[in-house]
Amino acid sequence: MEKFFLFIVASVFLSFCNAVSGNEANVFEYQNPIEVPCAPDGIRDPQIVRHNGLYYMTGTIPGFWPGSVSPGVKLFSSPDLRNWKDEGFLIDRKTIPEAAWYRDRFWAPELHAWQGKWYLSFNARNESKEHPHFHGCALAVADDIKGPYRMLTLDKPLVRGNDLHIFVDDDNRTYAF
């Protein structure tokens, strides 16, 4: 039975490969890395949403691990997914108190529209000696996709963990995972 199953999987895979290679008109091509102003080393963990005819992207910006602090969470916009405009910081490290738990490291941000508001989730931490080493998930809210964003998790992370994602189900229940 196991050999039969492997034969079926291999046959389906080969059929798929043949179908794809035989249809050159539908091949998708794109050149990486995405060139983004003020991010010559690229963007990690990108997330793109479409809003009011534009694409908006956020992601982890340099400095990347190890050893350097991140300047914050930035927003970029594009009409065509190729030409990006720097819209500025959604979360700017320069405006955050030194003792804040989310001061020095920002990564994997995501934007979510829900009930007329924009929610920004991102991972963060403070790398000072006063804070124990942990990854925390932050949440901020704004009336407009470009901000200004108000932190909802000022005193502590929403959860300890990494790469928070918000999901709103059809019944309007909201989940964080």
Side-chain angles (χ1 to χ4, degrees), residues 119-120 138-141 149-156 158:
Y119 290 85
L120 171 66
L139 192 61
V141 64
Y149 282 83
R150 179 178 53 87
M151 284 294 292
L152 297 175
T153 53
L154 282 172
D155 297 327
K156 63 181 182 177
L158 182 64

Side-chain angles (χ1 to χ4, degrees), residues 95-153:
T95 65
I96 300 171
E98 286 188 34
W101 71 267
Y102 58 96
R103 166 96 164 122
D104 297 323
R105 179 73 45 208
F106 309 91
W107 69 97
E110 292 188 3
L111 289 165
H112 304 276
W114 187 62
Q115 295 185 345
K117 303 272 186 198
W118 283 92
Y119 290 85
L120 171 66
S121 63
F122 60 95
N123 297 284
R125 70 184 219 185
N126 184 323
E127 296 187 346
S128 70
K129 293 178 183 174
E130 292 79 32
H131 289 269
H133 174 82
F134 69 86
H135 296 168
C137 299
L139 192 61
V141 64
D143 292 325
D144 186 81
I145 192 169
K146 294 180 184 181
Y149 282 83
R150 179 178 53 87
M151 284 294 292
L152 297 175
T153 53

Side-chain angles (χ1 to χ4, degrees), residues 1-19:
M1 183 69 167
E2 184 177 317
K3 288 181 182 179
F4 178 73
F5 176 73
L6 290 175
F7 172 77
I8 296 297
V9 170
S11 297
V12 170
F13 177 73
L14 290 173
S15 297
F16 173 76
C17 290
N18 289 336

Side-chain angles (χ1 to χ4, degrees), residues 69-83:
V69 295
S70 305
V73 177
K74 279 197 149 199
L75 182 68
F76 303 92
S77 66
S78 172
D80 58 10
L81 296 174
R82 291 179 186 257
N83 300 295

